[in-house]
Each structure stands twice: as structure tokens, then as C-alpha cells.
Amino acid sequence: MELIDRLNKEKRLSSSEWKKLLSSWIEEDRTYAAFIARTVVLQKFGKSIYIRGVIEFSNFCKNDCYYCGIRHSNSKIGRYRLSKEDILNCCQKGHSQGFRTFVLQSGEDPYFTTDKLADIVSEIKNKYPDSAVTLSVGELKPEDYTNLFKAGTDRYLLRHETADEKHYKALHPAKQSWKNRMRCLQDLKDTGYQTGCGFIVGAPYQNIDCMVKDMEFLSNFNPEMIGIGPFIPHKDTPFAAEKTGSLETSLFFLSLCRIMLPDVLLPATTALGTIDPEGREKGILAGANVIMPNLSPSRVRGKYMLYNNKQNSDVETSRCMIDLRKRMSSIGYDIKISRGDYKGRNNS
Ligand code: SAH
């Protein structure tokens, strides 16, 4: 608990302190960290939860991440792409339900060139000038990031996956490089995006040193958003037989991130909601302040399967929102209709 107090006071720990905390924490530390994280988040955001509508617009992917169900080599899934009209329809439905951020996510699909994406983004921004657009379409060239930013993209999510280069190699084929991923994150930040990174809790071959590096990377990079959730195996990947990441460890990391970076926008991720029916509520109570419901058309939801049993209700958005509001109010929180921008150092 001493180390958690120190993190709260100084907003950083040394490598050896991280190592000590991450290798020896017990349940009491986790509940204490959640308690501190809730106090921190309450001061910054009150009891309001931001929502982001996720549109998974293509599951084609040229990459081959060993953990991911939509990897190139998985020939068992049906591939799909949404049209611009489909995407705009999702936004229209989402906007009428109170969404003021749209997250466009896909595999790395060369069909969606920067020009095509820029056209879609600028159309969304024209139609919904009160809304933010977030892209999550993987590693691109610096000039592509610049062009998409100029088209009106506000934010970009690109998880670093792991801050340990060797570990990265154990999770990806040789042609995917950790250095390039890190270069992309720096480019995104330099371009002016609110940038999100993050790692997978309990990924195969992850050890304490990897986690220490993840926390130190987050501390140095100081991202506006962090996406973390448990590893969940997918049956048609090389990691099919690997163990699912732990709920408790995921919650502990959410709390540590909140304590270390009080302003950060921190979702209770879909993966958390997948391994526990109350995962999202537990995430909020551990210091998360964002929920990212799915706005994709129900006909494609089952096809964006990053891992087994990915939580995806095929009920329509309005019904989902009633359920979500109920769930949030049952733990004393409510959903805020707002873009929910980062309010820390850069964009206040
Ligand atoms: N192509 C985009 C989006 C990737 S999918 C990109 O490269 O950024 C979004 C995230 O899902 C990934 O970054 C990864 O962290 C997570 N993910 C993928 N497979 C997973 C699995 N089996 N378990 C848990 N998280 C997974």
C-alpha cells in the first residue's frame, strides 16, 4: 500500500519499485488501489461516464498478430467491409442516441486508402460538427497521419501492445516491428492527435519485466487515452490454447493507470466485459471513465471477432443504451452526452 500511496503522491515509481509492486501485490493492494483510483477519478470527472460509439468497418487485415482473430492467416472467418453509407448510417443512429464520439476501427486494410478514409472522416465531421472522430486503423506513414488529421480526425488509438521489444517479437511475425509501432505513436502525438496506447494484460510470454516496461512507457509517453484489457484466446490463432488474462490483474492495472495519470481517458474495455458479465461496472469502480459500445450493423458484429466470445449484443443501439444507463446508475454513475475530450496539459 505504501507504493500505491507513493504513486499517488509522486505520480511515478522507480523501476525497482514497479518491480516490487507488480511482483508482490495481493488482493488488499488491488482494492486499495481501486479505492484511491476512484477518489482520483471523482475529482477529475465526477460520476460521469463518457461513451464512444465504435464502428468496426473492416475485418480485412494484412497483419498476422498471433493473438488476434482477424489476423491475415485466419481463413475461417468471413471478411467484410462497410460502405461509406453504412458507416454514416451507424453515426446517424449513434448520434441520435447521444454519442458525440465515433471510433472507426478496422484491421489494416489497404482497400481503405488515406484518401478514402479522409473522405469518410470529413463527411462525418460535416454532418456532426459537435462530434469527435477517432481512428484506429493501425500503422501508417507519417504523411498519412498528417492527412487524416487535416481531414478532421481528432484522436487515434494504437495500442503499443507491449513495451518490451522481445515480447513484441513473441506476439508478432518478424515483419511487424516494435520500433515501427513506437515510431507511429510518436508521429501521432507530434501530429497533434489525442493519442491512445495500451497493452494486453496476461498476453502469452508476458512477465513482470514486460509489465514494468509498460508502466514506465505509459509514464513517459503520457498518452491522452489508454486501452488495456485481458488477453482472451481466439480458437483459430496460434495462441488458441493459451490462458485468458486475469480479471483482477486487469482491474489492478486500470487503477494504477488512473492513479499515475489522473486526466487520462480510460475505457472499461470490451475484453473486460467479455471475461466477466459485470466487467465494465468493475472497470468503472477501478477507475475507468469511458465505455465504448458497438455501433456496427448487427449483421457484421459476429465477424469482428478479435477473440473467443467477444461481447457483442445484437440488440439495437437504443435498447443497448437503456441497458447501459441502468447498469451505470446501479453503481451510482451516469452517462454524459459530450465529446469528452482530454482535459489535461495540452488541450485544456
Ligand atoms: N488494426 C488496429 C486495431 C486492432 S484491434 C490496430 O492495429 O491498432 C484492437 C486491439 O484489440 C488490438 O490493439 C489488441 O490490443 C486487442 N486484441 C486483439 N486480439 C486480442 C485478444 N485475443 N485478446 C485481447 N485483446 C486483443
Side-chain angles (χ1 to χ4, degrees), residues 61 63 67-70 105-108 136-139 157-159 161 181 198-200 229-234 271 304 306-307:
C61 192
N63 286 342
Y67 45 84
C68 184
I70 65 168
Q105 190 179 84
S106 69
E108 290 203 11
S136 177
V137 301
E139 297 172 37
L157 301 176
L158 183 78
R159 292 188 178 182
E161 314 295 4
R181 198 138 184 114
F199 61 98
I200 309 177
F231 166 73
I232 305 172
H234 183 290
Y304 200 83
L306 304 178
Y307 39 77

Side-chain angles (χ1 to χ4, degrees), residues 185-205:
L185 278 168
Q186 196 54 53
D187 288 342
L188 288 164
K189 203 168 207 197
D190 295 344
T191 307
Y193 289 98
Q194 295 173 50
T195 305
C197 58
F199 61 98
I200 309 177
V201 177
Y205 311 109

Side-chain angles (χ1 to χ4, degrees), residues 54-120:
V54 182
I55 302 164
E56 297 158 336
F57 65 93
S58 165
N59 70 351
F60 282 86
C61 192
K62 66 179 165 67
N63 286 342
D64 235 349
C65 310
Y66 299 149
Y67 45 84
C68 184
I70 65 168
R71 65 199 299 268
H72 182 74
S73 301
N74 183 5
S75 53
K76 295 205 177 149
I77 56 166
R79 303 280 171 175
Y80 74 91
R81 289 185 180 109
L82 297 185
S83 65
K84 181 175 167 187
E85 288 63 43
D86 285 332
I87 297 173
L88 287 164
N89 274 334
C90 297
C91 294
Q92 191 251 317
K93 279 195 190 140
H95 195 268
S96 72
Q97 290 298 321
F99 287 88
R100 296 296 178 267
T101 291
F102 302 109
V103 180
L104 271 51
Q105 190 179 84
S106 69
E108 290 203 11
D109 180 0
Y111 168 87
F112 282 97
T113 57
T114 302
D115 284 350
K116 282 200 185 95
L117 286 174
D119 174 56
I120 295 169

